[in-house]
Amino acid sequence: MIPEKEARYDSSHPRYRSLKERELLVAGFRAGLVVPEGLIAHGRGEMFDYLFGEDTLIPAVRAEQAAAAALILAEKPVISINGNTAALCAEDAVRLAEATGACIEVNLFHWSEERAKLIREVLESKGATEVLAEDPDSVLEGVHHDRGRCHSEGIFSADTVLIPLEDGDRASALVEMGKKVISIDLNPLSRTTLFSSISIVDEVTRAMPNILRFSKEFASDEARAMNVMNSFNNSAELREIFRLVGQRFGRLGTI
Ligand code: PTJ
């Protein structure tokens, strides 16, 4: 075991950002926000982020721009927040909800009323005024048991849903229900990424501020938002991500 003194690091560490994120998740886990499975899910995400050079790829920037446009133009946008997202970027999620007029719903894969309450309180501490969390009164069509629980005033009746770090079954149920689904998922091969209407293949703490920035730009220019949304081609952007990763491997293969 590494003694605590030696395990410390500072901002000069090349992977400082990643280490800070791990700290946030472990703190979130200890506080009861994050489930143990959330730590494993983060590790899977980190692995994919390595393939992207831990940076936002250009196709992801275009998806983030399209996501902002879709949220601004939506009749009833909802931002879904789970344990990992709350631990990593609760503040940005609240600012994004304010900028787009979206409702926030705490929606958990590993449902517990207690954790929903805790996450709601974290969001409220960042300034959220209305968060749907405890006592969900509806279910996603085709998703049974606790995994399908949601609010009739939130995700169930939304036309556009932002789902950071979502499970594939639930993402596909939302698509089947006719919603515009915007995912944030570092895994370009996940079913969530493949099913979504706008698939943001980027790290959630990089994606959220980008979507927020674009949303603020579009708030005063809906015509431009419409143009961006209509010209966005999700499949083409995903193909470009696969091409860029392949190109990177190709370069590394010549070292
Ligand atoms: O808080 P809960 O109960 O809702 O549970 C949250 C987790 C994340 C445990 C749950 O939704 C889950 O099991 O998700 P999955 O099916 O493991 O999918 C999570 C996806 O998010 C994976 O494809 C990861 O690659 C990706 N991912 C993990 N961390 C990040 C990420 N994508 C972007 N940014 C991250 N930081």
Side-chain angles (χ1 to χ4, degrees):
M1 195 166 146
I2 305 172
E4 184 147 332
K5 217 166 127 219
E6 284 174 41
R8 291 210 181 109
Y9 54 87
D10 60 32
S11 57
S12 66
H13 192 287
R15 302 200 62 250
Y16 178 72
R17 195 183 159 107
S18 154
L19 293 167
K20 288 308 283 182
E21 279 182 12
R22 287 182 180 187
E23 254 183 21
L24 285 174
L25 281 165
V26 170
F29 169 66
R30 292 198 171 119
L33 294 178
V34 175
V35 282
E37 292 85 347
L39 303 179
I40 298 168
H42 187 77
R44 177 167 5 155
E46 281 187 328
M47 187 279 288
F48 284 105
D49 210 16
Y50 246 82
L51 302 183
F52 310 139
E54 293 171 288
D55 208 352
T56 302
L57 300 177
I58 295 296
V61 176
R62 286 194 287 260
E64 284 154 4
Q65 198 178 29
L71 289 168
I72 287 286
L73 295 170
E75 290 280 318
K76 191 165 181 191
V78 172
I79 301 175
S80 172
I81 299 292
N82 63 15
N84 285 42
T85 313
L88 289 173
C89 54
E91 174 128 30
D92 279 334
V94 173
R95 300 287 88 79
L96 182 62
E98 283 166 3
T100 58
C103 153
I104 299 183
E105 177 168 337
V106 177
N107 197 264
L108 304 176
F109 183 76
H110 303 278
W111 176 263
S112 102
E113 199 77 4
E114 202 186 342
R115 201 155 61 92
K117 175 176 180 280
L118 265 178
I119 295 172
R120 174 179 57 73
E121 287 168 352
V122 166
L123 294 162
E124 286 170 351
S125 76
K126 305 292 178 192
T129 47
E130 262 195 74
V131 180
L132 297 169
E134 300 103 305
D135 300 319
D137 58 350
S138 202
V139 283
L140 298 178
E141 286 162 18
V143 182
H144 304 292
H145 309 296
D146 281 353
R147 291 190 300 120
R149 300 180 77 170
C150 65
H151 284 262
S152 53
E153 281 305 304
I155 289 176
F156 190 85
S157 55
D159 61 344
T160 302
V161 193
L162 174 65
I163 49 166
L165 285 59
E166 185 56 279
D167 150 77
D169 267 7
R170 300 202 310 172
S172 83
L174 293 170
V175 174
E176 288 292 314
M177 287 167 78
K179 300 176 194 306
K180 192 179 281 278
V181 174
I182 306 165
S183 61
I184 304 176
D185 188 334
L186 277 162
N187 183 354
L189 305 169
S190 75
R191 288 184 312 135
T192 298
T193 296
L194 299 176
F195 287 138
S196 294
S197 331
I198 300 176
S199 311
I200 300 172
V201 180
D202 196 9
E203 209 282 321
V204 69
T205 65
R206 296 197 302 265
M208 282 285 200
N210 283 347
I211 307 172
L212 176 59
R213 180 166 50 85
F214 287 125
S215 298
K216 286 179 178 165
E217 283 175 29
F218 292 143
S220 57
D221 193 351
E222 288 204 359
R224 193 171 148 238
M226 186 65 82
N227 198 22
V228 164
M229 199 175 76
N230 289 341
S231 56
F232 180 73
N233 182 333
N234 202 48
S235 312
E237 299 302 350
L238 287 179
R239 280 197 298 276
E240 180 62 2
I241 285 173
F242 294 128
R243 193 190 67 77
L244 289 170
V245 172
Q247 193 182 52
R248 191 148 190 265
F249 268 99
R251 274 202 305 273
L252 292 171
T254 60
I255 290 174

